[in-house]
Amino acid sequence: MSASSYSKQGAVAVITLDNPPVNGLGFELRSAVMAGLDQALADAAVSALVLIGAGKGFSAGADIREFNTPKAGAEPTLRSLIRAIEESSKPVIAAIHGVAMGGGLELALACHHRVVLRGAQIALPEVKLGLLPGTGGTQRLPRLVGVESALNMIVSGASVPSEQLGRTALFSALLEGDLLQGAVAFAGKLRPEMPRRLVRDIPIEYPNADGFFQFARNVVGPASKGYPAPLKCIEAVAAAVYKPFEEGLRFERELFLQLMQSSESKALRHAFLAERAASKIPGLSENTPTRPIHRAAVIGAGTMGSGIAMCFANAGIPVTILEVKQEALDKGIATIRRNYEGSAKKRKLSAAQVEERMGLIRPTLSYADVAQADIVIEAVFEDMSVKLGVFKKLDEVMKPGAILATNTSTLDLNQIARSTRRPQDVVGTHFFSPANVMKLLELVRGSATQDDVLATVMELSKKLKKAGVVSGVCDGFIGNRMLDRYLRQAILMLEEGALPQQVDSALEEWGMAMGPFRMLDLAGNDVGWYIRKRHYVEKPEMKRSVIADRICELGRFGQKTSAGWYRYQSGKRDAIPDPVVEELIAAYRKEIGVAPRRLSDEEIVERCIFALVNEGAKILEEGIALRASDIDLVYLAGYGFPAFRGGPMFYADTVGLYGVVRSMKRFAANSRGDPEFWKPAPLLARLAADGKSFN
Ligand SMILES: NC(=O)c1ccc[n+]([C@@H]2O[C@H](COP(=O)([O-])OP(=O)(O)OC[C@H]3O[C@@H](n4cnc5c(N)ncnc54)[C@H](O)[C@@H]3O)[C@@H](O)[C@H]2O)c1
């Protein structure tokens, strides 16, 4: 496969990058472009070359399929190609549409001219993977768009529409209509003998450089805690100002290689690949058919139902939302409107968009109005008998082939499926609260769920801009089953001597978006209490979370009751440590005869995170999760796990599984409570003994 094609239009050679889907700069493409360049240079009848992308854009940069393979570094590398283009005796014109990102933009920056269509997205997004543009981007872009604009683009990684850069030296022409025709006409006017200036030769004059870079460091440093790349981006751009070009290039390369080796970038690249891997379901091919989703319905307009309805409206899919009582329906619709109006106040939506989205949501009390939906998502109370009642009704009214989904967090999907006459159409779509915000969507595959149903909800997750992760059926699925272990450790540490604020701050300092107790107060302590009470009946031998139960017995359900593990001033979300809670904990320690000890932050973090890892290993071995990176994605997208640590399983790999198992043995020996808890999962023990890792 050549990945690019060569043709001639008069005296202009046209090299078309053709490596679907985004013209990633893989080895075959680089080789073919180099060959095209040589062919054009050898042809006396060619006076200029146009580089253009086939399909949706110019190029989105490196070919991610090549990551971690020898091909990534094989000659010709992008660096060699860029040098060859700069050295070309005939002018090379990059003709840009769609996207020019990362290495794709760096390739274009080395050309002698760039012409562009309106609406093309221009970006150097490497920082999002914990890197910086390593092939001249930090040295060339400031010479064309100015130091400040270039720095903003490189530090944020954000895309800028081409027309916004139209007045800069980045583009020689903003074209309309047929890009190829326009670019060939532009190229046809150039002659090899005409004087040409390479971007590298453009001087940078920036008298305020010292002050500006210091200001940038002051702003970016604190905002990028845990991430080294943004500050390094600033140093690389500064080198463009302070150093001769070649020296700047070398400096950029050095920083790039340092970042490539950083654990943060490795974690971010893992997260990036994890999201792509998650949509590949073993046993299902790209050809597995999907069912069209033109209309949706949601049953229940509570916290989750109203958020889920918003997800559909945001994606432009009409959705009907059903309740049993008018009052509940009105309340749900009012919540949705309030949310949209809040976004409009923050200027994230226009008033017209608010109305457009509200217009896509139809409230109803009648099942007849949902019968024609292509998918219906049940989000009523977490009570099996209520859910079975709803599914009975859905089974009666829904058109054949409709997907019947449940948002249950803990109940047995297979039981729900079996209660219908169409278990093959039943699937779990487990959204996270707030559903319109959180990116994670667990797709729960029942024992009878048909392949095309699973493929359809996976495709739907993308339309709803969610990270879809397949989970098998078990109590709590992937995320909440692991969370249960994490919270159990957090609460156990209170018995041993820690306080909620200490546990929270240790984990937040480590990088979790929110410590476990603040998170519980936000989600509502009654939710876990309700589930615990069921567990106490089902598994009477289970160790009870007495402190957590007592907090609930006092009616301290969290933010919604202005008191939980902390207290809250009305209308505010700041968690204030509460002596009542400290007394309650102290009294319980006395009751069970525990002398409190001081726990280090390190112990707190290790016990909570390794509790996740051990349960994750069980989930993996049982086949509940398809791969370790899916578990990581669940935690990154749904639980505020720090991206720079790559997810719990990836983090365990970086610590080394042998070390993880040793820590677990230490916890089992020293900590009171449940020694079984720290028995390493068989998979974990095996991998650790063999010196292997999860990912
Ligand atoms: N709240 C969360 O954080 C969260 C997260 C993920 C999943 N879930 C799951 O989502 C589901 C809904 O949870 P929630 O927090 O939105 O609950 P909620 O109590 O806020 O809302 C439930 C809604 O369902 C309505 N309802 C009850 N019976 C009904 C029926 N027979 N027909 C139609 N509507 C009915 C109620 O009037 C209420 O408005 C549960 O299964 C829960 O486990 C909740």
Side-chain angles (χ1 to χ4, degrees), residues 362-516:
R362 275 195 45 202
T364 186
L365 296 172
S366 157
Y367 273 90
D369 291 335
V370 302
Q372 293 307 312
D374 301 305
I375 184 169
V376 53
I377 299 183
E378 166 279 311
V380 302
F381 301 135
E382 187 73 344
D383 181 310
M384 188 53 106
S385 60
V386 180
K387 295 215 191 268
L388 290 179
V390 168
F391 272 82
K392 184 163 186 288
K393 200 81 198 149
L394 292 175
D395 196 16
E396 281 164 20
V397 302
M398 296 307 295
K399 67 175 183 185
I403 293 177
L404 312 188
T406 169
N407 190 48
T408 180
S409 309
T410 54
L411 300 176
D412 182 358
L413 176 82
N414 290 327
Q415 189 185 343
I416 295 175
R418 273 196 307 272
S419 77
T420 70
R421 288 165 299 173
R422 33 176 138 178
Q424 73 281 0
D425 296 337
V426 178
V427 68
T429 50
H430 186 217
F431 289 77
F432 288 72
S433 181
N436 53 313
V437 177
M438 296 300 287
K439 217 180 150 200
L440 177 61
L441 179 57
E442 281 181 328
L443 305 172
V444 187
R445 183 186 206 167
S447 52
T449 306
Q450 202 158 296
D451 284 356
D452 66 337
V453 170
L454 192 63
T456 303
V457 289
M458 179 56 86
E459 192 178 75
L460 178 67
S461 71
K462 296 207 175 90
K463 283 194 198 130
L464 302 184
K465 296 208 162 57
K466 301 285 177 197
V469 179
V470 175
S471 170
V473 177
C474 67
D475 197 343
F477 312 123
I478 298 174
N480 284 346
R481 176 168 153 187
M482 288 166 66
L483 188 74
D484 178 73
R485 313 306 283 173
Y486 169 91
L487 294 176
R488 203 173 284 229
Q489 277 306 305
I491 292 169
L492 196 58
M493 286 189 277
L494 301 184
E495 293 180 13
E496 292 172 32
L499 288 173
Q501 51 271 32
Q502 190 201 351
V503 174
D504 281 353
S505 74
L507 283 154
E508 285 165 14
E509 194 52 41
W510 185 79
M512 295 298 290
M514 201 182 270

Side-chain angles (χ1 to χ4, degrees), residues 27-90:
F27 168 73
E28 282 82 10
L29 184 142
R30 300 190 306 264
S31 306
V33 173
M34 192 66 115
L37 179 65
D38 287 342
Q39 190 176 343
L41 292 176
D43 184 344
V46 169
S47 63
L49 292 87
V50 166
L51 269 187
I52 191 167
K56 284 187 286 197
F58 181 72
S59 167
D63 191 334
I64 57 166
R65 292 166 293 199
E66 239 176 37
F67 277 16
N68 307 325
T69 72
K71 276 190 178 176
E75 290 284 5
T77 60
L78 181 59
R79 276 201 300 162
S80 302
L81 185 58
I82 280 178
R83 201 159 280 268
I85 288 174
E86 274 193 330
E87 285 167 358
S88 159
S89 55
K90 299 176 183 178

Side-chain angles (χ1 to χ4, degrees), residues 186-269:
F186 180 92
K189 293 189 200 126
L190 304 171
R191 292 279 160 269
E193 61 282 4
M194 280 159 74
R196 241 185 4 255
R197 189 149 75 160
L198 293 173
V199 175
R200 60 162 63 219
D201 298 327
I202 301 174
I204 297 190
E205 274 158 33
Y206 194 61
N208 297 329
D210 292 358
F212 172 69
F213 287 119
Q214 198 45 50
F215 168 75
R217 284 182 204 107
N218 293 347
V219 174
V220 171
S224 58
K225 199 170 149 252
Y227 297 87
L231 280 174
K232 295 244 184 277
C233 288
I234 297 178
E235 297 322 315
V237 174
V241 176
Y242 293 119
K243 294 181 195 285
F245 185 80
E246 277 298 327
E247 222 178 283
L249 266 190
R250 274 197 299 278
F251 184 68
E252 174 199 77
R253 189 82 199 153
E254 217 172 275
L255 295 184
F256 173 79
L257 293 174
Q258 280 173 21
L259 288 173
M260 273 300 266
Q261 290 309 318
S262 69
S263 57
E264 293 82 2
S265 173
K266 286 181 184 160
L268 291 171
R269 279 176 280 149

Side-chain angles (χ1 to χ4, degrees), residues 6-15 40 45-51 91 93 180 183-191:
Y6 183 89
S7 63
K8 276 198 334 192
Q9 298 215 4
V12 178
V14 177
I15 300 176
V46 169
S47 63
L49 292 87
V50 166
L51 269 187
I93 294 93
L180 179 60
V184 168
F186 180 92
K189 293 189 200 126
L190 304 171
R191 292 279 160 269

